[in-house]
Amino acid sequence: MSANSSSRYSTVAIIFHWLIAILVIVNWRIAETAEHLQMPEKAEVFGNHKALGMLILVLSLGRLAWRLGHKPPPMPEQASGWEKTLAKAVHVIFYILLIGLPIGGWLASSLTGRPIDFFGIFTIPMLPVGENPEAGKAIFDAHATGGSIMIYLIILHVLGALKHSFIDKIPGLSRMWFGGSR
C-alpha cells in the first residue's frame, strides 16, 4: 500500500505534527510565564518565546509544503459528515494560526522597534514597516487572542482524537503515531 492510500500519515508528517505540537505548547507556557514577570526578566523570557515562534513558523511552512506534496490519508469512513467537516476546518485554522501567529508576532516586534534574537545564534531583522508602537501593541493583543484560540483548538483536536479512538473505536491516535503498519 502506498503512503497516499494508507490510513496512516507518513513518518515525515508525524514528525512535523508532534514536533510542532510540543513546541506550540512549550511556547504557550513560556508566554504565560513571561506575563507574570517583571522587566528585564520579562523581556528575556519573551525573547525566547519569539525565537521559538520563528522556529514554529519555519517548521509549519515545511509541514505545509510536505502536505501539499503528499496527500494525507482519507478520514475514516466511519466518521460522520459533520466530524469530517469539523476536522477539515480545524486543520485549516491550525495552519492559519501556525503561520499567522509567528508572522503577527514578527510584525508587532518590528513595529515596536525590536528585532528578534534567535537564541543568541543570529538576529532576525525587523520587517521593513517603520515604527508604530500603537499598531504593534494592537497586533500583540490580537496575537495573544490567536494564541488562546490555538490552545482551545488543540484541546478540541485532542478530545476528538480520544473520542474517535476510545468511544467510536475508529483509528484516530494510531493514524498520527509512530510505529504500526501502514
Side-chain angles (χ1 to χ4, degrees):
M1 192 181 295
S2 73
N4 287 349
S5 63
S6 172
S7 63
R8 292 173 37 81
Y9 285 85
S10 70
T11 300
V12 171
I14 292 169
I15 291 169
F16 272 128
H17 175 273
W18 288 106
L19 183 57
I20 292 169
I22 290 166
L23 292 177
V24 164
I25 291 167
V26 167
N27 214 23
W28 167 64
R29 293 304 311 145
I30 289 171
E32 289 293 314
T33 299
E35 284 295 335
H36 304 290
L37 299 175
Q38 299 298 314
M39 295 301 249
E41 188 179 22
K42 181 175 187 172
E44 183 178 328
V45 173
F46 264 122
N48 291 328
H49 172 78
K50 292 175 186 182
L52 198 53
M54 298 308 285
L55 178 58
I56 291 168
L57 173 61
V58 170
L59 290 171
S60 296
L61 291 171
R63 180 178 181 185
L64 182 59
W66 179 263
R67 176 139 184 184
L68 293 173
H70 300 82
K71 186 177 178 184
M75 291 285 293
E77 291 179 17
Q78 307 95 310
S80 67
W82 72 266
E83 289 172 315
K84 291 177 183 179
T85 300
L86 180 60
K88 287 178 185 176
V90 167
H91 280 98
V92 167
I93 296 168
F94 271 142
Y95 279 109
I96 291 168
L97 291 172
L98 287 169
I99 294 167
L101 286 172
I103 291 174
W106 188 10
L107 176 60
S109 290
S110 298
L111 288 166
T112 57
R114 293 177 261 178
I116 298 171
D117 176 65
F118 192 77
F119 302 114
I121 301 169
F122 59 87
T123 299
I124 298 170
M126 294 183 290
L127 295 169
V129 293
E131 286 195 32
N132 185 335
E134 295 81 24
K137 183 184 180 325
I139 294 171
F140 276 134
D141 290 345
H143 178 86
T145 300
S148 295
I149 291 168
M150 173 71 84
I151 296 304
Y152 295 134
L153 284 177
I154 290 170
I155 293 167
L156 178 65
H157 183 65
V158 169
L159 289 174
L162 293 172
K163 175 193 176 290
H164 290 315
S165 292
F166 298 111
I167 295 173
D168 301 336
K169 305 296 184 206
I170 298 172
L173 296 174
S174 63
R175 288 166 39 95
M176 190 52 87
W177 195 248
F178 301 98
S181 61
R182 289 217 172 274

